[in-house]
Amino acid sequence: MRTVISAMSLMSPAGIGTGPFRAAIDAALLAGGPQPLGEAPGGRVEDFRPEESASARPVRLADRPSAMAIATVEALLPDDVLAAWPPDRRALVLGSGASGIDQSMTLTRDSLTRPRPDNITPALVPACVMNYASAQAAIRFDLRGPNATVTAGRATGLAALRYARRLLTRGRADAVVCGAYEDLNDRRAAIAEAAGIKAPPAEGCCAFLVEPGTRARAHGRPELAEVLALESGVFAEPADAGAVLAGTVRRALDRAGADPGDVALLVPSGDEDAGLGALRDARVLRTADLVGDLHGAAAAFQVATAIAVADEAPLRGLALITAVDPDGQAGCCLLHTR
Amino acid sequence: MSNAQPAAGRRVVVTGFGVISSIGTGRAGFLAGLREGRCGAAPISGWDTTGFAHSTAYEVPGLDPEKYLRRIEPGRFGRVGAQAAAAARMAVDDAGLDPASVRDEPGVVAVGTTCGESLDVDALAGVEVRDGLDRLPADLARRVHAGRLSVAVAVELGLPNVEAVTIPTVCAAGSYAVGHALDALRDGEADYAICGGADSVSRMAFAGFYRLRAWAPEKCSPFDLDRNGFMFGEGAGMLVLETLEHARRRGATIHAEVAGFALNCDAGHPTRPDRERVAQCMAGALHDASAGAGEVDVVFAHGTGTKLNDAMESAAVRDVFGDHPPPVTALKAMIGHTQGAAGSHACIAAILGMNHDFIPPTVNFTTPDPECPVDCVPNVARPARVRTAVVNSLGVGGNNAAVVLRHAEVAA
């Protein structure tokens, strides 16, 4: 079975939608390549103000990350897509790296500082766990099939894609809404700073419709990208990250029957491409330089980057996305963009 | 039916497991606890509960997970990651599997969780209150993310070539992890997997559910007329899964077969589970296992001890199994609601029941509830020949999962 991405929606610090994101990539390409790490803009999706939403289905949720996820999934699923898709065959796989920590710390703080330790905000309780957005999206769009939440640091988007592909190959769903999100809040920024993360934190959400190629064609949807390979590994020490990542790249190329020289575009999460010498002929686009550190949404945005630039012939074809997280995850995804 | 495709692909078996729980740690300890019908509820000792009128949970107070670890240095992972890694270490030992021997084979590490490194999150909030947000210590900041639970397992076992994922699908997550591993092995994407779940008992969770009056004051009493809520438990349960062929090739002892799995979502009310969807999920798992409802010898219920869950689940069991369902036992009375580990704890208990011919009891049971017309194996373990077991799991938000396990003799 060929697994393809047939639709995409996103919001980034550049704005809501793929248009502003693509414009940010263009600006970087025009400027002769991305800026060095550490000078990316970072920041919030300033245009996204769920409390002011004029949408027919206003977003009223306990927290911002879920509101971001719902709005992004909504943009991915026009009525005609849902109409042709039985609810119990609709799967959802969402991921983030840190959602729930901000809400959890608020709850613990209130328990520690208020006159009574149980004087917390009850509405916050469900948003303290990471499946809140997945559950809310299921309710909103009647997604009754498999509903999973995954987390794997900056490789989360690749883990979500792999989960989605497996649901399809096992026949557990007709298609999968697959995405990743991360909101920006003071605690996330403080935790990243204390942990030594250099890139400025950014927020964003990105979602894909993942389905068999035959189904996309039957429904008249474009094949934005075929997912040729997803490979991942774990490194115990930072010094091992390069070797583990190189192993995943080797396996991915083997699986796709491709040579390193075939890769037209490389989208790394940081500067890990320095260790992938065999890919030196590929053009390099660094999503993190464009938008900042998206944490759990990072890899999904790297996939989106590869898809967004595929209208330019030199950047179309085999695209390799690599992800390395200081927590120990390393992984890659080989796409064929069209 | 949400998972309409029948099972196909390679057969998958359990060859080892590791357990940390309030009633016993390790194979022998957990087995003894299940047979004796211990109840692990005790006053919370992990943090200061001053100001709460009641504060009981199923912790594992004497446990130092790091003493089971061989590769991970102390303090590098939080208590939950360390427990996942410790249970994984026990599991490979139990399986007689030297991780170095599968280092170059494709593998999966999947760890389910509800609250992740919740004790570290609490600790960070404490620093914020005391010293301010700009004073967060680097060691806590570096180990707080839930994605590290699966990394801890892979690092402890020295497995660089695994697909390591943490599945925070809350209280169904342990079963999700087993199901995800099952699908990877059936598909040929991996030859072995280390999967299960881990969680602890944090101030955040306790204060939240105490406030919502969902936390039982003294103990968890599933299916009892006077049940009054759930109670979180601490622990980890990790299993070694292999394809049948892989297990045979290395001469491993097979403890059980993972015969089927299903998952679906209520997509309805966020906290009130949907009986029809829960029943469809259990039926879907039986279909996936090509098993008839009549073959099932025991159901390991989600059995949280809330009014709503246990009545709904009793009805769903009768929807699937008819008016004479098999015994329906609820481990949470013994080990508490171990959240992301609950599904894997139940899988391990089911396997122990199969291999030692008994059904673990639902302890703390006093008064039958007409709303729960099931045989919950009250208070005392029951001798029984268990060949097929169903483990049912629910997660808040409407996440359902069910696992079907079969006795090793059917895999022979």
Side-chain angles (χ1 to χ4, degrees):
Chain A
M1 191 198 75
R2 297 169 62 250
T3 302
V4 308
I5 294 171
S6 60
M8 170 169 97
S9 67
L10 59 82
M11 62 171 73
S12 74
I16 293 174
T18 50
F21 182 63
R22 178 60 216 262
I25 298 173
D26 279 342
L29 289 172
L30 272 176
Q35 310 302 306
L37 270 176
E39 293 177 21
R44 285 164 66 100
V45 186
E46 295 297 346
D47 298 346
F48 184 63
R49 299 184 192 91
E51 61 283 2
E52 297 170 14
S53 173
S55 157
R57 285 183 282 208
V59 176
R60 280 193 215 95
L61 289 162
D63 69 339
R64 180 170 177 86
S66 297
M68 291 168 57
I70 299 277
T72 306
V73 171
E74 179 163 31
L76 187 76
L77 298 176
D79 290 343
D80 63 314
V81 171
L82 286 174
W85 192 5
D88 62 358
R89 300 290 296 171
R90 299 174 185 170
L92 176 75
V93 183
L94 283 183
S96 75
S99 69
I101 290 178
D102 183 37
Q103 295 82 355
S104 296
M105 286 176 70
T106 297
L107 208 146
T108 299
R109 180 201 65 196
D110 291 349
S111 174
L112 289 170
T113 55
R114 291 181 174 174
R116 282 175 38 180
D118 65 332
N119 192 2
I120 53 93
T121 307
L124 213 52
V125 174
C128 288
V129 289
M130 294 184 99
N131 79 328
Y132 185 62
S134 318
Q136 296 300 315
I139 292 166
R140 192 65 62 93
F141 305 107
D142 203 16
L143 312 175
R144 298 189 210 170
N147 179 286
T149 309
V150 298
T151 184
R154 285 162 189 78
T156 295
L158 304 188
L161 267 182
R162 198 160 185 184
Y163 200 118
R165 184 180 67 176
R166 192 164 293 152
L167 288 174
L168 294 175
T169 55
R170 294 309 311 163
R172 295 194 184 277
D174 291 343
V176 187
V177 174
C178 176
Y181 61 94
E182 202 76 77
D183 73 309
L184 180 54
N185 55 73
D186 291 345
R187 292 198 180 96
R188 192 193 129 204
I191 289 169
E193 187 172 352
I197 303 293
K198 299 284 184 251
E203 72 176 5
C205 180
C206 183
F208 307 104
L209 186 60
V210 182
E211 59 186 327
T214 48
R215 186 172 188 272
R217 202 173 318 121
H219 288 79
R221 280 189 283 274
E223 204 171 283
L224 301 177
E226 179 180 355
V227 181
L228 297 178
L230 288 158
E231 293 291 332
S232 47
V234 172
F235 55 90
E237 301 297 335
D240 304 332
V244 171
L245 180 70
T248 70
V249 170
R250 205 161 42 241
R251 295 200 297 273
L253 290 169
D254 280 352
R255 204 169 281 273
D259 292 322
D262 299 338
V263 175
L265 176 67
L266 178 58
V267 190
S269 59
D271 56 4
E272 71 270 17
D273 52 304
L276 301 170
L279 292 155
R280 60 185 159 269
D281 295 335
R283 287 286 297 272
V284 177
L285 267 178
R286 289 179 217 282
T287 311
D289 287 359
L290 300 169
V291 290
D293 175 31
L294 289 154
H295 197 181
F301 270 89
Q302 293 170 252
V303 171
T305 300
I307 291 172
V309 300
D311 56 347
E312 291 188 29
L315 302 176
R316 183 164 59 233
L318 276 193
L320 181 72
I321 285 86
T322 58
V324 174
D325 187 284
D327 281 346
Q329 291 100 347
C332 72
C333 171
L334 195 61
L335 294 175
H336 190 189
T337 59
R338 291 166 211 277
Chain B
M1 200 173 296
S2 66
N3 300 283
Q5 299 261 343
R10 307 185 302 174
R11 293 175 70 184
V12 176
V13 295
V14 179
T15 55
F17 50 79
V19 202
I20 294 169
S21 83
S22 58
I23 61 164
T25 290
R27 170 186 278 271
F30 192 52
L31 175 61
L34 293 173
R35 278 180 154 159
E36 291 166 22
R38 290 182 199 150
C39 172
I44 289 175
S45 65
W47 43 274
D48 180 8
T49 58
T50 303
F52 292 103
H54 63 82
S55 54
T56 305
Y58 293 78
E59 292 176 308
V60 194
L63 179 87
D64 174 11
E66 294 189 337
K67 83 173 191 200
Y68 296 90
L69 304 179
R70 286 178 218 161
R71 294 172 76 102
I72 292 176
E73 58 271 31
R76 179 164 165 196
F77 290 90
R79 182 169 168 91
V80 179
Q83 288 195 49
R89 176 59 75 184
M90 291 179 212
V92 295
D93 287 351
D94 185 53
L97 178 70
D98 176 4
S101 71
V102 292
R103 194 188 136 94
D104 296 323
E105 298 176 19
V108 168
V109 172
V111 181
T113 191
T114 295
C115 297
E117 288 292 6
S118 52
L119 301 177
D120 288 346
V121 175
D122 272 358
L124 285 169
V127 175
E128 177 188 329
V129 167
R130 202 171 54 242
D131 304 325
L133 205 48
D134 55 350
R135 296 292 183 85
L136 301 182
D139 59 337
L140 284 178
R142 286 197 180 112
R143 68 185 206 191
V144 72
H145 295 118
R148 289 174 62 86
L149 303 189
S150 52
V151 172
V153 171
V155 169
E156 168 60 20
L157 302 183
L159 298 171
N161 294 320
V162 288
E163 172 194 350
V165 64
T166 301
I167 303 178
T169 304
V170 293
C171 302
S175 292
Y176 266 64
V178 171
H180 192 56
L182 170 69
D183 280 0
L185 269 58
R186 276 179 171 177
D187 247 8
E189 267 206 86
D191 293 327
Y192 74 96
I194 318 289
C195 57
D199 261 302
S200 190
V201 178
S202 65
R203 173 182 283 272
M204 179 278 288
F206 180 74
F209 290 113
Y210 178 102
R211 174 65 184 244
L212 293 168
R213 297 178 186 278
W215 197 288
E218 290 174 14
K219 60 192 178 187
C220 170
S221 309
F223 302 119
D224 192 280
L225 182 67
D226 300 316
R227 65 188 180 278
N228 52 4
F230 61 74
M231 182 180 286
F232 274 7
E234 180 178 45
M238 297 296 294
L239 301 94
V240 176
L241 268 51
E242 300 175 63
T243 62
L244 178 60
E245 186 200 344
H246 191 273
R248 280 181 174 157
R249 201 164 55 226
R250 70 179 189 92
T253 301
I254 293 167
H255 300 313
E257 178 172 12
V258 185
F261 174 70
L263 72 173
N264 70 10
C265 188
D266 293 350
H269 193 278
T271 56
R272 187 181 308 121
D274 182 329
R275 163 183 171 180
E276 189 185 344
R277 303 292 297 146
V278 170
Q280 283 171 347
C281 190
M282 278 190 276
L286 289 170
H287 178 77
D288 192 55
S290 301
E295 295 173 47
V296 176
D297 301 305
V298 58
V299 175
F300 284 75
H302 192 57
T304 54
T306 64
K307 291 279 182 211
L308 216 57
N309 177 87
D310 297 358
M312 176 285 304
E313 204 173 9
S314 300
V317 162
R318 293 173 81 90
D319 290 344
V320 176
F321 297 95
D323 290 340
H324 303 285
V328 179
T329 189
L331 285 187
K332 290 178 177 66
M334 281 190 277
I335 64 172
H337 192 334
T338 52
Q339 314 155 68
S344 56
H345 274 143
C347 286
I348 292 167
I351 294 165
L352 285 168
M354 284 177 185
N355 294 331
H356 297 274
D357 295 318
F358 76 104
I359 298 175
T362 303
V363 300
N364 305 336
F365 186 84
T366 309
T367 314
D369 179 356
E371 296 286 308
C372 301
V374 292
D375 166 12
C376 71
V377 193
N379 298 319
V380 182
R382 182 182 299 169
R385 184 175 179 274
V386 179
R387 287 298 171 269
T388 305
V390 169
V391 170
N392 194 42
S393 299
L394 283 74
V396 69
N399 290 118
N400 308 310
V403 179
V404 180
L405 296 160
R406 280 213 173 102
H407 191 279
E409 75 185 13
V410 297

